[in-house]
C-alpha cells in the first residue's frame, strides 16, 4: 500500500489548537487499528507537524485527512503528498 504524508502548519493560537490534540491522537490511533501504519508528530520548534500513513490511493488519503479533527476544526493548513520510498 502506498505511503502518504500530510505536512501541516498550525494557524490558530496554541490554547485552541491544544483543545483538539486529544481527538487528533484518538483519530491516529484509529488509523493504526485499521492498518494504515500511521505516525503523527510535531516539529521541535512547534508551529507544525506531520502525519505519515498508508492508504490505497490519493483519493483515500485525502478522505482520511479530511476526517482529522485538526483539519475539521480549522487548526492547520496542510499539503498532502504521496511519499515514494526509495530505500528501506
Amino acid at each position: 500500500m502506498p505511503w502518504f504524508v500530510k505536512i501541516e502548519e498550525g494557524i490558530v493560537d496554541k490554547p485552541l489548537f491544544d483543545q483538539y490534540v486529544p481527538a487528533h491522537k484518538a483519530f491516529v490511533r484509529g488509523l493504526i487499528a485499521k492498518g494504515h501504519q500511521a505516525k503523527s508528530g510535531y516539529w521541535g520548534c512547534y508551529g507544525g507537524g506531520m502525519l505519515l500513513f498508508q492508504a490505497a490511493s490519493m483519493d483515500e488519503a485525502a478522505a482520511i485527512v479530511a476526517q482529522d479533527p485538526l483539519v475539521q476544526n480549522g487548526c492547520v493548513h496542510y499539503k498532502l503528498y504521496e511519499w515514494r520510498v526509495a530505500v528501506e
Side-chain angles (χ1 to χ4, degrees):
M1 200 163 13
W3 285 96
F4 294 88
V5 61
K6 175 185 72 150
I7 305 288
E8 63 191 22
E9 175 187 2
I11 58 171
V12 298
D13 292 334
K14 189 171 181 338
L16 179 59
F17 186 94
D18 287 349
Q19 287 180 16
Y20 298 103
V21 170
H24 170 74
K25 288 180 177 180
F27 165 75
V28 174
R29 287 185 194 103
L31 292 178
I32 293 166
K34 293 175 186 170
H36 291 284
Q37 303 292 317
K39 308 273 188 238
S40 182
Y42 56 91
W43 311 130
C45 59
Y46 297 102
M50 184 174 91
L51 173 66
L52 179 67
F53 62 99
Q54 290 182 314
S57 66
M58 179 59 87
D59 287 342
E60 181 185 24
I64 287 170
V65 167
Q67 298 303 309
D68 186 334
L70 294 177
V71 171
Q72 290 183 333
N73 290 287
C75 295
V76 296
H77 282 153
Y78 71 90
K79 292 194 177 196
L80 178 63
Y81 301 96
E82 181 178 350
W83 183 51
R84 296 188 177 174
V85 178
V87 177
E88 288 192 55

